[in-house]
Amino acid sequence: MTAIKRLFGEGFRVFFLAAALYAILAVAAWEAWLAAVATGMGGLAGLVPDAVPPQLWHAHEMVFGYAAAALGGFFLTAVPNWTGAKAARHLFIATAALLWLLGRVALWSVGTLPPVIVAVADLVFLPVLAAKVATQLVRRPKPQNVMFLGLIAIVWTGDLMMHLEWTGVTADTLDAGLRGGLFGLAAMIAVLGGRVTPAFTRNAMVQSGRETGLPVSRRPLEIAGNAGAIALPLAILSGLPAAVTGAIAVLAGAALLARLAGWRGLWMAALPILWALHLAYLMLGLGMIAYGLARHGIGDEIAALHLVAIGAVGGMTLAMMSRATLGHTGRPLVAPGPVAAGYVLVALAALVRWVGAALPPDLYMPAMLVSGALWLAAFLLATVALWPAFWGPRAPRQDAPKAPGRTNGQSRVAA
């Protein structure tokens, strides 16, 4: 099997690779634009499209570009495992990847292409992905899995609302669309992360011989956290008042943190492949609370959004992409050193960006640049380390090396 054929043979390969490469390309362009603005080199400011505000282009491409690719890789890999349906074939995977790429080319061509063409090119990928997922879910339509179609629809609606304003159809839907799309992704993390994180942790603890003190998932907290996380983007997209969305965000974030407290996060300090999931979930809870407080005038809203976008979405997608890529290519579920470093660097990028909002004005731009540099370092390290897994053949099954009294959390749950 050639490397190209192998790349399109499994959804996680091409889409996770595309997500990782785009995380580098899009943020590198954004970093260059910020540096050009900071140094007064206006001639270089055209490094990102300026037909729309560059900061909105950057935000759009991270939420609906990078994260959409991560969703494609995850659902095309996980759903067949959930349902027993046949995995997508080479032709569908290649076509879906092309549609995603066309959306990215269109967004880089804003100002050159008509806005309607840009919108159509960008909006087609998620419905195609959702349709494929739906055909696979029909085989075993469990509500806890079918609900992800609704969450994909929420993210897509956010993207649509941004394009409606960019095409002149509406006048005030862009901000709600961007935030609704971001918190639609956050809702997926709340639901899916809340499912796999304690399960993976429990499996690792049991495999190590531990029988007590296992992760605890309390049903009332699970309902409150998931319901709040899903209600938040719906409230934002519906245009509910800031006081309402803020209250929902605070309550949801508090419930998520309360859930996380029962998952024995300190146990896997030596297992990056596991603690990365806990760390991203922590960022999600903190980010939601910070956003909710900002909606009530306490703290900076943009900083809170970045805590969710970088720390939760970036952290959880990197954790899941690396875990699924290793597991589905027959490699031990042990994060290579560069990938583990990437987990830390993404979290640091989120914290630096959040703290930067409270710094004096002359330090704000440097903080943004440092945050971006940390993100780039994280994804460069992870991409290089996982490159053989993306392109190479499936490795023979190996026993993962064990720390004394521990396992490496090997489990095929969910992905």
Side-chain angles (χ1 to χ4, degrees):
M1 181 184 293
T2 65
I4 294 296
K5 186 176 181 181
R6 187 184 301 117
L7 182 67
F8 294 106
E10 297 172 281
F12 72 89
R13 291 183 185 265
V14 64
F15 279 109
F16 287 169
L17 177 59
L21 292 176
Y22 201 60
I24 296 168
L25 174 63
V27 174
W30 174 242
E31 282 278 278
W33 184 85
L34 287 176
V37 171
T39 57
M41 299 174 66
L44 296 179
L47 291 166
V48 302
D50 57 5
V52 298
Q55 64 272 23
L56 292 177
W57 176 90
H58 159 69
H60 179 279
E61 286 306 276
M62 300 315 296
V63 172
F64 303 108
Y66 161 75
L71 291 182
F74 177 81
F75 284 118
L76 290 177
T77 304
V79 175
N81 285 351
W82 294 345
T83 64
K86 289 184 178 180
R89 296 184 180 275
H90 291 77
L91 180 59
F92 176 85
I93 294 172
T95 302
L98 178 60
L99 292 176
W100 175 85
L101 181 60
L102 287 176
R104 309 290 58 77
V105 171
L107 262 297
W108 283 77
S109 303
V110 170
T112 302
L113 295 175
V116 172
I117 298 299
V118 174
V120 171
D122 183 45
L123 289 168
V124 70
F125 169 67
L126 283 181
V128 170
L129 174 65
K132 183 62 176 180
V133 170
T135 63
Q136 295 173 330
L137 287 173
V138 165
R139 182 181 177 91
R140 196 176 298 167
K142 294 182 178 180
Q144 63 266 37
N145 295 332
V146 174
M147 69 180 299
F148 287 109
L149 293 175
L151 295 177
I152 292 174
I154 289 174
V155 175
W156 184 84
T157 300
D159 197 6
L160 173 65
M161 290 176 68
M162 292 193 75
H163 283 291
L164 287 176
E165 183 165 340
W166 278 338
T167 55
V169 176
T170 62
D172 59 353
T173 58
L174 193 150
D175 287 344
L178 177 58
R179 286 158 176 76
L182 173 60
F183 282 106
L185 295 172
M188 290 195 195
I189 293 172
V191 175
L192 184 63
R195 181 189 303 179
V196 302
T197 302
F200 290 154
T201 304
R202 173 184 291 272
N203 290 344
M205 296 178 79
V206 170
Q207 289 169 13
S208 73
R210 183 161 180 167
E211 298 179 355
T212 60
L214 300 176
V216 176
S217 288
R218 297 177 176 85
R219 187 65 175 168
L221 290 176
E222 179 181 347
I223 294 173
N226 289 347
I230 295 170
L232 180 57
L234 293 174
I236 293 171
L237 293 173
S238 300
L240 294 184
V244 175
T245 57
I248 294 172
V250 170
L251 292 174
L256 296 178
L257 292 180
R259 291 190 70 193
L260 179 63
W263 294 346
R264 315 306 183 204
L266 297 179
W267 181 86
M268 74 291 303
L271 304 176
I273 202 77
L274 283 175
W275 60 246
L277 301 172
H278 289 252
L279 181 58
Y281 211 84
L282 173 65
M283 289 288 186
L284 177 62
L286 293 176
M288 282 195 166
I289 291 174
Y291 175 76
L293 292 176
R295 297 295 284 168
H296 286 88
I298 304 171
D300 184 85
E301 182 192 8
I302 301 302
L305 290 173
H306 280 85
L307 199 58
V308 174
I310 301 174
V313 176
M316 186 62 80
T317 51
L318 181 58
M320 291 300 293
M321 289 193 299
S322 55
R323 183 185 185 96
T325 299
L326 292 170
H328 286 276
T329 58
R331 291 163 170 80
L333 283 176
V334 180
V339 176
Y343 300 154
V344 176
L345 291 172
V346 167
L348 288 176
L351 292 175
V352 169
R353 183 62 181 81
W354 181 61
V355 171
L359 296 177
D362 58 329
L363 296 178
Y364 178 65
M365 183 66 78
M368 292 177 66
L369 289 169
V370 169
S371 176
L374 291 169
W375 172 280
L376 287 174
F379 279 89
L380 281 167
L381 288 170
T383 303
V384 170
L386 295 173
W387 191 266
F390 288 133
W391 288 95
R394 190 177 301 273
R397 183 70 63 193
Q398 303 175 33
D399 291 331
K402 297 181 180 180
R406 300 269 181 106
T407 72
N408 289 280
Q410 286 186 289
S411 170
R412 297 294 184 268
V413 176

